[in-house]
Amino acid sequence: MDPLSLRNLVEEASLEAAETFVRNYTDLLPQRVERIVLSVGIGDRAMAMDAALSLGTSSSMAGALRINRLCRDLQQALIAADMASAAAAAREITLHLPDLREALAGPPPTP
């Protein structure tokens, strides 16, 4: 987790907005990851790309840099139509989910 990303969000919006964003991000995280896994599993590149862009962008804003990087890896694999690499990236995202949830459950960074 990169606390600087959340500090920037607090400065640009407000503490309340940042807390709401992180709460929504955390609540939607399992669904977003599941959408990636499902779409890659059925070979739907368009849906997988949409899901990767959504999760990657929100992860960047939340400071979840590893998930953001994994989503970029997934996007590159999808662009190349390399579904084996896309499946590997989706697995890595799934494997990182427990660590991310633990990090998000910790105390919020101070502005």
Side-chain angles (χ1 to χ4, degrees), residues 2 4 9 25 52 54 58 67 70 72 75 108:
D2 176 25
L4 182 59
L9 188 56
Y25 174 79
S54 175
S58 60
I67 289 286
L70 292 169
R72 284 195 322 265
Q75 291 166 20

Side-chain angles (χ1 to χ4, degrees), residues 55-77:
L55 180 58
T57 301
S58 60
S59 295
S60 176
M61 291 175 62
L65 301 182
R66 184 163 180 216
I67 289 286
N68 177 263
R69 181 186 54 79
L70 292 169
C71 286
R72 284 195 322 265
D73 293 348
L74 174 56
Q75 291 166 20
Q76 290 173 349

Side-chain angles (χ1 to χ4, degrees), residues 39-99:
S39 58
V40 169
I42 63 173
D44 188 332
R45 289 175 43 211
M47 185 167 75
M49 182 64 79
D50 183 63
L53 287 167
S54 175
L55 180 58
T57 301
S58 60
S59 295
S60 176
M61 291 175 62
L65 301 182
R66 184 163 180 216
I67 289 286
N68 177 263
R69 181 186 54 79
L70 292 169
C71 286
R72 284 195 322 265
D73 293 348
L74 174 56
Q75 291 166 20
Q76 290 173 349
L78 292 167
I79 289 168
D82 181 351
M83 295 309 286
S85 293
R91 271 191 307 279
E92 286 297 315
I93 290 168
T94 302
L95 291 173
H96 183 59
L97 188 57
D99 292 338

